[in-house]
Amino acid sequence: MEATKGSRAKSIFSQNAIWIVLVLLIAAITIMDTNFLSITTFRDMLVQSSTRLIIALGAAFVLITAGTDLSAGRVVGLTAVVSASMLQSADYANKFFPDLPHLPLLLPIIIAIVVGLIVGLINGIIVAKFNVPPFIATLGTMVAVYGANSLYFDMPPNQSQPIGGLRDDFSDLGTGSIGSGDWSLPYIVLIAIFVAFIVWVVFNKTTLGKNMYAIGGNIQAAHVSGINVAKCLMWIYGIAGALYGLAGVLEAARTGGATNNYGNMYELDAIAACVVGGVSTTGGVGRVKGVIAGVLIFTVINYGLTYIGISPYWQLIIKGAIIVVAVAFDIRKYVAKK
C-alpha cells in the first residue's frame, strides 16, 4: 500500500513537475519582493508571453518531427517589418510607402502571415525534398531571410530608419484590451489563447497531428505505414512559418514599430521553452500545455528576476542551466526507453 502511494505521488510529480517549478519560482520571487504578486504584474507577464508562446508553438511542430527551425526569429522580424510598413498613419512624416492608400487592417496582416507561410514551405521543401538536415536548411533560410528583410528595410525613402507611426487600429491589437484597469484582458493574450487552442486541436484531433508524432517517433516506420512524409513535413514547416508570421505582426503592434533586427534570437528562446516544457529533442513527444508552461517559466525568469534587481547576466546563467538540465533529463528518458 505504501509503495502504491509512493509510486502514485511520484507519477503525479513527474507529470506536473514543470508547473510545480513555475509555482516555486513565483513563490521565491514573491518572498524577495511581495509587490511582485499583483494583478498588474501577471497581466504584464501574460502580454510578454503572448508572442513568445505563438513562436514556441510553431517551433513545437518542427521539434516533434525531430527537426529544428533556426529561421523562426528572422521570420518574426521580416513579418513585423512587412506588416508595419503597410500600416502607418496617413499623416506620419516618414512613411515607408508615401503613396500607399489606407488599407483594410486585415490585408497587411494576411500578407505578413503568408510571407511567413512561404518561408516555412521553403524550409519544408528543402528538408523533405532535398533531404537537407533541418539544422542546416533552416540555418540557411535564417541568413537569407535576414538579408531579404534588410534589403526591404533599406529601400528608399526609408533607408533603414525604424518604422513607427503605426495606425491606432493596428497598435490596438498589441496594446488594447477588453475591460478596463488591472482586470482587463489584453487582445494579444486572447489571440495567443485562441492560437494555443487551435494548435491543441491540430496536435490531438487531426490526421496531420497523428502523422507528425509518427514521423518524430520513427520516420522509417512512418514511411512504411503509408504516411506521405514529405507532404506532412512541408505542411508542418509551413504552419510553423505562418505562426511566426502572426507573432511578427503582433510584436510590431505590441511595440509600436519594427526594425530589421526584430526577432533576433527568438528561435532559441522558443526552442528552450519547448524543451523545458517537455517537447523531446529526439522527436515524437510534446504537448501544448507543456509549451505554455515552458514559455511562462522563461517569462517569469526574465520579468521576475529583473523585477527584483537580478543582473541580466545571472538571468542568462540561470536560463542556460535550466535548458541543460531539461535536455539532460530528456536524453536520459530516451536512453531508458531504448
Side-chain angles (χ1 to χ4, degrees), residues 281-282 325-338:
T281 55
T282 56
V325 170
V327 173
F329 274 110
D330 178 59
I331 296 298
R332 285 189 64 184
K333 285 189 290 184
Y334 176 70
V335 171
K337 284 181 182 178
K338 293 187 72 177

Side-chain angles (χ1 to χ4, degrees), residues 79-80 82-83 86 107-117 241 245-246 249:
T79 53
V82 168
S83 57
M86 293 185 285
L107 181 58
I109 292 174
I110 292 171
I111 290 172
I113 293 173
V114 169
V115 168
L117 172 67
L246 175 60
V249 170

Side-chain angles (χ1 to χ4, degrees), residues 127-203:
V127 171
K129 295 295 187 180
F130 296 98
N131 296 315
V132 176
F135 182 91
I136 301 300
T138 59
L139 176 63
T141 51
M142 175 185 75
V143 176
V145 166
Y146 179 60
N149 190 18
S150 297
L151 285 172
Y152 181 82
F153 189 64
D154 194 42
M155 288 194 314
N158 190 65
Q159 296 183 319
S160 298
Q161 298 300 309
I163 301 172
L166 302 186
R167 283 166 33 182
D168 291 340
D169 56 347
F170 182 45
S171 295
D172 201 39
L173 281 177
T175 58
S177 59
I178 296 174
S180 60
D182 291 342
W183 292 98
S184 60
L185 192 56
Y187 295 137
I188 195 171
V189 174
L190 290 172
I191 294 170
I193 291 171
F194 177 73
V195 170
F197 173 73
I198 296 299
V199 171
W200 180 87
V201 171
V202 174
F203 278 17

Side-chain angles (χ1 to χ4, degrees), residues 13-23 273 276-278 289-290 293-294 297:
F13 178 82
S14 63
Q15 291 176 10
N16 298 282
I18 188 73
W19 295 101
I20 293 170
V21 169
L22 180 59
V23 170
V276 169
K289 71 174 185 179
I297 279 181

